[in-house]
Amino acid sequence: MSKQSFRQLGVSAPVAAALTDQSIEHPFPIQAGTLPDALQGVDVLVRSPTGSGKTLAFVLPIVERTEPSDAHPAALVLVPTRELASQVTEEFRPLAEARGLAVAAAYGGAPLKSQANRIKRAHILVATPGRLEDLSTRRLVDLSRVRTFVLDEADRMLDMGFRPQVDKLVRRLPRNRQTM
């Protein structure tokens, strides 16, 4: 654990309070090391083992840098599986709500239209490559205003053969964005 507080690292009072409500008091080293740059909008590359706090290391900057007035979606987190999409979405929820932001997940095995409707109202989108490519091809999601892009578990996505979908999706994103 870091001796610094989340507030000292630049996390807002409402988000820090939401962390405290979850009994998260101090940042893990991966969070303390990445938050200053990520909160400034710098591109960040992190490699760390499971359980080290990587998810919160990208969730916090997204929540802090996304405004309720931003276009929908303003942030995109691409993940390899529906299980991880659900997990990451749940990690976002209390922190996003603390700032008045909406988060939605998109993954295969769930109704396409209802996901598309939730995405239209969401500031933050967590999605698997196949489902997001489908939604994008059908013009049910607009990625042209994404300002922050996270490729979570990129190595696993490549191992699973998602590179063609990831490449197509990245080409649909604005060039001027933060990538983590």
Side-chain angles (χ1 to χ4, degrees):
M1 295 288 186
S2 171
K3 292 182 183 188
Q4 287 184 298
S5 70
F6 283 104
R7 291 284 292 138
Q8 289 170 319
L9 289 170
V11 174
S12 66
V15 174
L19 288 167
T20 300
D21 289 346
Q22 298 178 62
S23 300
I24 302 171
E25 300 288 336
H26 299 283
F28 283 104
I30 194 76
Q31 297 155 2
T34 59
L35 281 173
D37 286 338
L39 286 167
Q40 290 181 26
V42 175
D43 290 350
V44 177
L45 176 63
V46 174
R47 182 177 179 183
S48 188
T50 300
S52 64
K54 281 188 311 266
T55 302
L56 204 54
F58 67 75
V59 165
L60 288 169
I62 287 174
V63 168
E64 292 293 351
R65 297 189 71 235
T66 304
E67 294 297 327
S69 61
D70 281 345
H72 308 284
L76 169 64
V77 179
L78 210 54
V79 298
T81 66
R82 78 176 119 207
E83 294 81 15
L84 187 56
S86 293
Q87 176 187 335
V88 170
T89 300
E90 289 311 307
E91 190 131 358
F92 263 112
R93 279 198 205 290
L95 304 174
E97 288 172 2
R99 297 229 34 252
L101 303 171
V103 61
Y107 48 82
L112 188 76
K113 288 288 187 185
S114 62
Q115 284 182 352
N117 289 334
R118 282 193 297 275
I119 290 166
K120 288 178 184 175
R121 297 184 305 274
H123 301 90
I124 301 162
L125 172 58
V126 181
T128 57
R131 176 52 58 104
L132 186 57
E133 182 184 20
D134 189 19
L135 287 163
S136 184
T137 300
R138 294 174 190 237
R139 299 182 196 275
L140 295 173
V141 64
D142 178 11
L143 301 176
S144 69
R145 294 189 178 133
V146 169
R147 294 183 314 122
T148 307
F149 172 58
V150 174
L151 196 55
D152 192 16
E153 296 195 12
D155 56 341
R156 192 164 169 208
M157 266 189 268
L158 295 175
D159 289 345
M160 294 171 74
F162 286 126
R163 182 167 183 165
Q165 291 96 337
V166 171
D167 287 345
K168 284 180 190 175
L169 291 166
V170 168
R171 284 193 294 271
R172 291 184 172 128
L173 299 175
R175 288 184 187 266
N176 186 19
R177 65 174 187 271
Q178 179 184 26
T179 301
M180 295 190 273

